[in-house]
Amino acid sequence: MLYHAYELNHAALAPLREVVDANKRFLESPYNPASYTWAGRTAAAACDLFESFTRRYAKPEWGIASTEINEQTIAITERIIWSKPFCRLLHFERNIDQLRSAQSDAVTAHPRVLLVAPMSGHYATLLRSTVEAFLPNHEVYITDWSDARDVPLSKGAFDLNDYIDYIIEILDVLGKGCHVIGICQPGPPVLAAVAYMSEHNSPALPATMTFMGSPIDTRLSPTVPNQVAMERRFEWFKDNMIYTVPWPNKGVTRRVYPGFLQLSGFITMNQERHVTAHHQYFEHLVEGDCDNAQKHRDFYDEYLSVLDLTEEFYLQTIRDVFQEHTLAKGTFMHRGQLVRPECITQVGLMTVEGEKDDISGIGQTQAAHTLCCNIPQEHQLDYIQKGVGHYGVFSGSRFRSEVKPRMELFFQKFFDEKTERKYQKENAPLFVSGASS
């Protein structure tokens, strides 16, 4: 009933939002003398704040139109090259002619990077800045996960094993030699996928796998979310966190972990910070500080956009990753077969953690090195970024200036230009034209 109450509340407030929005436009109009007064600006700011508190935030657009290479602008086209009901694989295709011009000779084959976005409440667009950082020197692909409330029940279920199958299929599409990066939640399933592919001698093995702030083994340096998962019985999550998607959503009757519940957890963890941010936003509006007000809008338009997770995926993740630690203990099963990270021998491994990460504590990501015990030491790299929290691991100034350069140097150790050129030639429609499925 909670999901139905949430939808009803949103619908009930719709007329009031329209009235408040009309008042806001009237109060902000340059033809209204009140817009130049403190009282008028305060009233308009209050209307703006009400609207931001009560509206539903849609999935943000990527909005990546170009990148810069050698001081030249290269146009970017967003292409779907593979899709299934719960995920699309996007390629941020760089204009090939402009790329040749910027490099003044034949196009140098750039490493392919697959960003596996977290499926933990936010949309993949949360990694927009990560994508932008890699675009100048890489062919960038990303998993764009679907909102479970928008997937009809007829499309079937989606659990952690399906997630692993999706990763394997995507790596098959991209072919041998790409660099897969699992950011936060995807760490365990990406590791399981590469282990499964290694044991079966897949010809599409990635060159490297990088895990950033990932819960590989949450028994190490447990954080508040880890402790909550351990303190409550599995049945508590099943009884209190799962609800039925109501009409008129496309996924009506599907059982999900609602995004708005996940968002409430995010906000509760840093409640004081969010209250302060909105208070400052109100003051910026009253003062007419448009730049800072827009920065606030840009951040919260992304932060408050959330998606639902399927019941089976959420509960299996709680049980296997956060309560029973099956991958870390060597007991995780995929399609009836034991997942064996020790089978990985030909894939480079890099882990990145944040010194102040309050979601995935120090050591949780590093555990991948212990599990992948047969990767040669010279093909492994562990890095802890000082002074950053969870999001600073994969975005922000320190990511761009300190983390990304180290990742690129690590990738370069495994870079084979002949392999990349061969891939481009054999997959010309996918690489240049962006074939859609």
Side-chain angles (χ1 to χ4, degrees), residues 94-367:
R94 302 174 298 177
N95 184 282
I96 198 76
D97 294 325
Q98 294 174 348
L99 197 56
R100 288 195 182 100
S101 175
Q103 297 178 149
S104 71
D105 56 8
V107 175
T108 300
H110 285 163
R112 286 162 288 140
V113 168
L114 168 63
L115 294 170
V116 183
M119 192 177 186
S120 56
H122 284 112
Y123 289 97
T125 50
L126 189 69
L127 302 185
R128 184 184 295 102
S129 64
T130 316
V131 171
E132 291 174 330
F134 280 112
L135 274 173
N137 300 314
H138 300 82
E139 288 296 334
V140 182
Y141 304 83
I142 193 167
T143 57
D144 189 22
W145 301 105
S146 304
D147 187 339
R149 69 169 171 255
D150 292 330
V151 181
L153 198 59
S154 61
K155 298 297 183 180
F158 182 83
D159 61 15
L160 190 58
N161 296 99
D162 294 312
Y163 191 116
I164 294 170
D165 287 340
Y166 274 33
I167 299 301
I168 293 173
E169 287 190 37
I170 289 171
L171 289 172
D172 284 340
V173 168
L174 294 182
K176 180 181 179 180
C178 78
H179 303 272
V180 59
I181 303 172
I183 299 178
C184 189
Q185 171 272 320
V190 169
L191 179 55
V194 176
Y196 187 88
M197 294 171 71
S198 296
E199 186 163 6
H200 290 81
N201 299 311
S202 169
L205 276 176
T208 69
M209 53 183 178
T210 302
F211 303 117
M212 309 182 75
S214 295
I216 304 296
D217 188 349
T218 61
R219 295 173 298 177
L220 307 173
S221 304
T223 60
V224 171
N226 305 149
Q227 292 168 351
V228 169
M230 289 300 295
E231 289 170 356
R232 290 176 169 81
R233 295 184 304 114
F234 178 77
E235 288 73 19
W236 183 91
F237 290 96
K238 188 173 183 178
D239 295 340
N240 294 277
M241 296 288 105
I242 303 301
Y243 295 88
T244 302
V245 176
W247 183 86
N249 297 288
K250 293 180 181 178
V252 58
T253 72
R254 182 180 291 281
R255 297 282 285 172
V256 299
Y257 171 47
F260 62 83
L261 280 184
Q262 177 80 321
L263 181 61
S264 66
F266 290 151
I267 292 175
T268 299
M269 285 180 62
N270 296 285
Q271 185 172 346
E272 185 176 347
R273 182 187 305 173
H274 293 295
V275 171
T276 300
H278 281 81
H279 178 72
Q280 291 174 343
Y281 174 59
F282 180 84
E283 291 180 338
H284 292 322
L285 290 173
V286 175
E287 295 166 0
D289 186 348
C290 298
D291 289 341
N292 280 317
Q294 189 57 48
K295 288 179 182 177
H296 175 96
R297 292 193 193 99
D298 291 343
F299 174 81
Y300 279 99
D301 282 354
E302 191 79 55
Y303 189 79
L304 299 177
S305 300
V306 290
L307 51 76
D308 294 354
L309 310 179
T310 64
E311 173 185 31
E312 53 275 14
F313 172 79
Y314 173 73
L315 292 179
Q316 188 180 357
T317 299
I318 289 292
R319 184 191 65 207
D320 287 351
V321 176
F322 293 99
Q323 291 190 336
E324 297 183 4
H325 314 101
T326 54
L327 182 64
K329 291 179 178 179
T331 59
F332 182 76
M333 304 292 290
H334 177 62
R335 305 303 182 198
Q337 180 176 328
L338 182 67
V339 171
R340 301 170 60 207
E342 64 269 22
C343 291
I344 304 174
T345 60
Q346 302 177 43
V347 181
L349 170 62
M350 180 176 181
T351 57
V352 183
E353 296 181 315
E355 179 186 27
K356 299 180 179 180
D357 194 334
D358 58 355
I359 294 179
S360 295
I362 295 292
Q364 294 187 15
T365 310
Q366 293 172 344

